[in-house]
Amino acid sequence: MPHESESSLAPATVAVSAGRPPRTPDGPLNPPLVMASTYHAGGEVGYGRYGNPTWEMLESAVGALEGGVATSFASGLAAVAAVLDLVPSGGLVVAPPDAYYGSLEIVSRLESQGRIRVRRTDLTDTARLAEAVDGADLVWAETPTNPLLKVVDVAALGERCSAAGALLAVDSTFATPVLQRPLEHGADVAVHSATKFLSGHSDLLLGVAVAHDADVATRLVETRSVLGALPGTVEAWLALRGLRTLHLRIERASANAAELARRLAGHTAVSTVHYPGFGAMVSVELRGAPQAAELVCESTELWVHATSLGGVESSLERRRRWSGESEAVPETLLRMSVGVEDVEDLWDDIDHALPHG
Ligand SMILES: Cc1ncc(COP(=O)(O)O)c(C=O)c1O
């Protein structure tokens, strides 16, 4: 749980100060890495599948940042699956047509198994939200979306969901709690692939679901305990270490992204820039064939050609190289995760790799 005094602090301060052991003489400043599959009998936890002090430190920090109760999972998708497990059997899930394809794949699997019913609706159309969420048990939103970077009005959606009696879950991976805190705007659960910006160093997989209400958090913990999609202890420790600099990384990467989006919009090789005006992600559609877009990815020396995002290093990829990616994503779209390097070096590298004239 967030420390009382942390609730009024700015995100930068919370990122640094939350999730620390008590201040006792000779006590460590950092959480211990507790490697344990089991515990001495007689306590409340008992076994490693039910809890771990290192997870708890990460959870208390992420919970304090988002303003809720956090539960960590083995990966972002394990967190997504646990949130979807909140839906009663036969319940209606409203999901957007474009979002991270792995999340949409879970929704489709549950639908084809007859576990849930699904309505696919554009949640960026604020004027039509009331009819979009009518009758829903859970609304799944992602903002900004991966990889088209579309933005949902979370406050408007939260209001509609609460009127309709639907739970609202928001995948906030691309924004991070430094830029967007869905629980403050009516969401019931904020979800993160902590693999990305929260941990920030491309060295682990982890997920977090932060619930507004304690009873929802309890159900998420139950799902984790029963299904066993547990975070690794080392991963949780590393994620918390990465989280300490979240605000600095986001500040620098966002400034870089804004400048690069501006320059890319004027580049002759680029037909469209997708950039929501905040955050560290930029997607560009290139003129020409998909092979030419692939060649750009292979020609950079600084930008890393790799999937995933949110690391200190800048990376890019053509999303449609993945067969599961939606056909709504243009074939020549490059998703760019902007890192914290010097912006002029990043520009020189990408400008050199892009075709000219
Ligand atoms: C927006 C979003 N949500 C969830 C996930 C899944 O996270 P993970 O890869 O940690 O399972 C991703 C992965 O790319 C993502 O981009």
Side-chain angles (χ1 to χ4, degrees):
M1 287 292 288
H3 190 279
E4 285 280 294
S5 62
E6 271 154 12
S7 55
S8 60
L9 299 174
T13 314
V14 176
V16 173
S17 62
R20 302 252 183 208
R23 296 182 176 208
T24 52
D26 277 343
L29 271 66
N30 290 307
L33 184 57
V34 179
M35 304 297 287
S37 63
T38 191
Y39 305 100
H40 291 289
E44 281 178 16
V45 181
Y47 185 51
R49 188 151 34 79
Y50 305 134
N52 175 290
T54 313
W55 306 346
E56 280 171 23
M57 291 289 181
L58 171 68
E59 289 165 354
S60 87
V62 178
L65 277 169
E66 286 286 10
V69 185
T71 307
S72 51
F73 291 88
S75 66
L77 277 191
V80 174
V83 171
L84 289 169
D85 199 63
L86 294 168
V87 180
S89 220
L92 178 67
V93 171
V94 170
D98 86 274
Y100 176 57
Y101 78 76
S103 306
L104 297 182
E105 206 169 291
I106 301 182
V107 169
S108 296
R109 276 173 77 102
L110 294 172
E111 181 185 32
S112 65
Q113 290 162 358
R115 165 80 179 73
I116 58 171
R117 292 172 295 127
V118 182
R119 181 191 299 146
R120 291 174 180 79
T121 315
D122 179 11
L123 297 172
T124 62
D125 187 351
T126 307
R128 305 189 64 180
L129 286 178
E131 97 195 55
V133 309
D134 184 41
D137 291 282
L138 182 137
V139 174
W140 181 264
E142 182 178 296
T143 184
T145 60
N146 180 1
L148 292 172
L149 302 173
K150 291 190 188 156
V151 175
V152 171
D153 182 339
V154 177
L157 184 57
E159 213 170 281
R160 296 300 181 189
C161 285
S162 132
L167 282 179
L168 172 60
V170 176
D171 186 329
S172 196
T173 298
F174 277 26
T176 84
V178 173
L179 300 175
Q180 166 178 288
R181 285 180 292 283
L183 304 186
E184 287 179 6
H185 300 288
D188 297 285
V189 189
V191 181
H192 288 276
S193 167
T195 309
K196 320 296 186 196
F197 292 102
L198 292 191
S199 61
H201 294 76
S202 308
D203 50 8
L204 60 91
L205 276 98
L206 208 83
V208 186
V210 192
H212 183 270
D213 294 341
D215 63 320
V216 173
T218 303
R219 289 167 67 197
L220 292 170
V221 170
E222 270 167 22
T223 302
R224 179 180 68 181
S225 300
V226 171
L227 300 181
L230 314 170
T233 312
V234 174
E235 281 79 353
W237 193 94
L238 281 171
L240 182 52
R241 183 180 169 125
L243 194 76
R244 299 295 183 213
T245 55
L246 176 68
H247 51 297
L248 296 174
R249 290 184 282 105
I250 291 297
E251 188 180 314
R252 174 60 172 266
S254 300
N256 283 353
E259 180 58 20
L260 292 174
R262 192 184 66 74
R263 294 189 193 183
L264 286 163
H267 201 288
T268 52
V270 175
S271 62
T272 309
V273 174
H274 301 263
Y275 172 65
F278 65 97
M281 300 300 297
V282 179
S283 291
V284 292
E285 289 172 46
L286 300 187
R287 298 183 206 283
Q291 291 81 349
E294 282 291 340
L295 191 60
V296 172
C297 299
E298 284 153 27
S299 307
T300 55
E301 290 177 6
L302 201 53
W303 290 79
V304 181
H305 184 200
T307 196
S308 200
L309 55 110
V312 287
E313 69 291 330
S314 295
S315 64
L316 82 177
E317 70 166 334
R318 189 177 72 86
R319 280 305 289 173
R320 286 292 297 279
R321 77 190 174 99
W322 295 96
S323 60
E325 185 57 276
S326 161
E327 286 179 9
V329 175
E331 281 279 5
T332 66
L333 181 133
L334 300 186
R335 188 187 67 192
M336 307 171 75
S337 171
V338 181
V340 300
E341 304 93 334
D342 182 89
V343 71
E344 297 301 336
D345 290 335
L346 289 176
W347 174 251
D348 288 349
D349 193 41
I350 195 70
D351 181 40
H352 191 249
L354 286 167
H356 283 262

